[in-house]
């Protein structure tokens, strides 16, 4: 059938029906069928929506004792995956979302890993405990050094790296009376959690992380929280990543004027 054009050979033992388009999903199926592997790293990250970089080669994880002929365009890692590391997306075996994020944090360059950590914490994909658990349970896995450093940064009361930058600015400027992740309750119901609050002055400081603009759901929730806080008499300030990193004097100046 391959000779007649009804099938197009993709790799050993894997064929594409003649005339069918060669899509990214078709490439992933071919890689899985040829290796019996689990999709991982950037390949899994793109499926889960946690990595938006280029597709690149297809990454798969196979059992350490499995003998395969590696197809073109496929990168193979040999490792034993625990049950918690396995998931399914679009019918394909893939590393679970949380495991994928942890893998990527240890695999990407430092700057890219920091941006991903910021996004992952904002969207509740993982927290400090996940990093610590990964390192303690699997001490020999690649990327643990990076995960230890990120776990330390995630333990300072900030929900994202953007908030950690704000905390440093406040400390250096000697601003007092501020509380990170301050919950506001109304009538026994949680209205929301303020990134940084100065309760004595009813000042709420909200910071937009590096990946904030991509999170439509969070954008809507934060606008609703902003309106509710304003109705309760709070002054709400919003600062962007650019404000914090490129205009710190502006940020501190605004706070000092309001807190005076």
């Amino acid at each position: 059938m391959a000779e007649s054009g009804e099938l197009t050979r993709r790799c050993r033992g894997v064929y594409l029906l003649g005339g069918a388009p060669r899509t990214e999903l078709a490439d992933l199926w071919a890689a899985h069928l040829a290796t019996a592997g689990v999709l991982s790293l950037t390949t899994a990250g793109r499926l889960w929506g946690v990595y938006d970089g280029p597709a690149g080669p297809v990454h798969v994880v196979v059992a350490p004792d499995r003998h395969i002929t590696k197809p073109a365009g496929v990168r193979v890692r040999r490792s034993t995956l625990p049950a918690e590391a396995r998931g399914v997306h679009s019918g394909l075996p893939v590393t679970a979302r949380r495991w994928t994020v942890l893998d990527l944090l240890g695999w990407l360059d430092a700057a890219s890993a920091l941006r991903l950590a910021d996004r992952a914490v904002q969207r509740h994909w993982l927290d400090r405990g996940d990093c610590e658990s990964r390192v303690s349970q699997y001490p020999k896995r690649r990327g643990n050094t990076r995960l230890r450093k990120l776990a330390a940064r995630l333990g300072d009361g900030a929900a994202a790296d953007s908030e950690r930058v704000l905390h440093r600015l406040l400390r250096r400027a000697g601003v007092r009376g501020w509380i990170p992740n301050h919950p506001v309750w109304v009538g026994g119901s949680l209205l929301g959690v303020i990134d940084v609050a100065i309760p004595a002055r009813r000042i709420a400081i909200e910071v937009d992380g590096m990946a904030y603009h991509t999170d439509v759901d969070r954008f809507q929730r934060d606008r609703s929280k902003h309106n509710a806080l304003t109705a309760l008499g709070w002054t709400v300030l919003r600062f962007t990543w650019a404000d914090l990193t490129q205009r710190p004097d502006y940020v501190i100046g605004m706070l000092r004027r309001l807190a005076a």
Side-chain angles (χ1 to χ4, degrees):
M1 293 180 69
E3 291 78 5
S4 68
E6 295 181 35
L7 295 176
T8 301
R9 188 176 187 274
R10 291 299 315 280
C11 49
R12 184 177 181 181
V14 180
Y15 296 83
L16 185 68
L17 186 65
R22 179 172 176 174
T23 64
E24 183 175 349
L25 190 58
D27 288 344
L28 302 186
W29 272 106
H32 162 62
L33 292 173
T35 64
V38 177
L39 303 177
S40 66
L41 287 175
T42 57
T43 304
R46 285 172 62 84
L47 284 172
W48 290 119
V50 303
Y51 173 78
D52 57 5
V58 179
H59 290 272
V60 299
V61 178
V62 301
D65 58 351
R66 180 168 177 76
H67 299 288
I68 62 170
T69 300
K70 186 178 72 171
V74 176
R75 289 188 180 175
V76 176
R77 287 189 304 140
R78 298 184 181 279
S79 179
T80 301
L81 291 177
E84 66 176 300
R86 296 174 177 269
V88 176
H89 194 292
S90 302
L92 286 159
V94 58
T95 51
R97 187 178 69 179
R98 184 161 298 180
W99 189 271
T100 299
V101 173
L102 290 167
D103 274 349
L104 287 170
L105 290 178
W107 185 83
L108 294 170
D109 63 86
S112 298
L114 187 57
R115 288 193 293 271
L116 175 59
D118 174 66
R119 186 182 181 196
V121 173
Q122 287 185 28
R123 298 193 179 190
H124 305 290
W125 294 338
L126 55 75
D127 55 27
R128 177 184 180 181
D130 295 313
C131 294
E132 293 176 336
S133 177
R134 170 71 168 260
V135 171
S136 63
Q137 292 184 44
Y138 310 100
K140 295 183 179 181
R141 294 198 75 89
R142 176 179 175 176
N144 279 355
T145 299
R146 173 81 54 71
L147 289 178
R148 289 188 189 94
K149 293 178 180 178
L150 288 172
R153 300 186 71 167
L154 294 174
D156 59 6
D161 198 63
S162 50
E163 293 178 31
R164 285 184 283 276
V165 173
L166 176 59
H167 294 183
R168 289 195 292 270
L169 290 179
L170 295 174
R171 294 188 187 103
R172 290 171 187 167
V175 177
R176 299 183 180 279
W178 57 274
I179 302 173
N181 298 320
H182 178 64
V184 177
W185 294 83
V186 178
S189 298
L190 181 65
L191 173 65
V193 178
I194 300 172
D195 292 339
V196 173
I198 306 178
R201 299 289 185 176
R202 297 182 78 79
I203 296 174
I205 308 167
E206 298 286 274
V207 293
D208 298 344
M210 294 174 283
Y212 176 83
H213 65 283
T214 68
D215 192 337
V216 177
D217 290 340
R218 186 188 175 196
F219 181 90
Q220 182 60 55
R221 291 194 304 271
D222 281 1
R223 287 303 177 272
S224 298
K225 181 174 68 174
H226 183 138
N227 293 339
L229 287 170
T230 300
L232 291 173
W234 286 78
T235 298
V236 182
L237 298 176
R238 298 204 71 90
F239 296 117
T240 66
W241 177 256
D243 289 331
L244 300 176
T245 58
Q246 300 174 25
R247 301 198 300 164
D249 292 342
Y250 159 73
V251 174
I252 296 303
M254 286 288 293
L255 290 174
R256 282 179 171 160
R257 282 194 293 273
L258 289 172

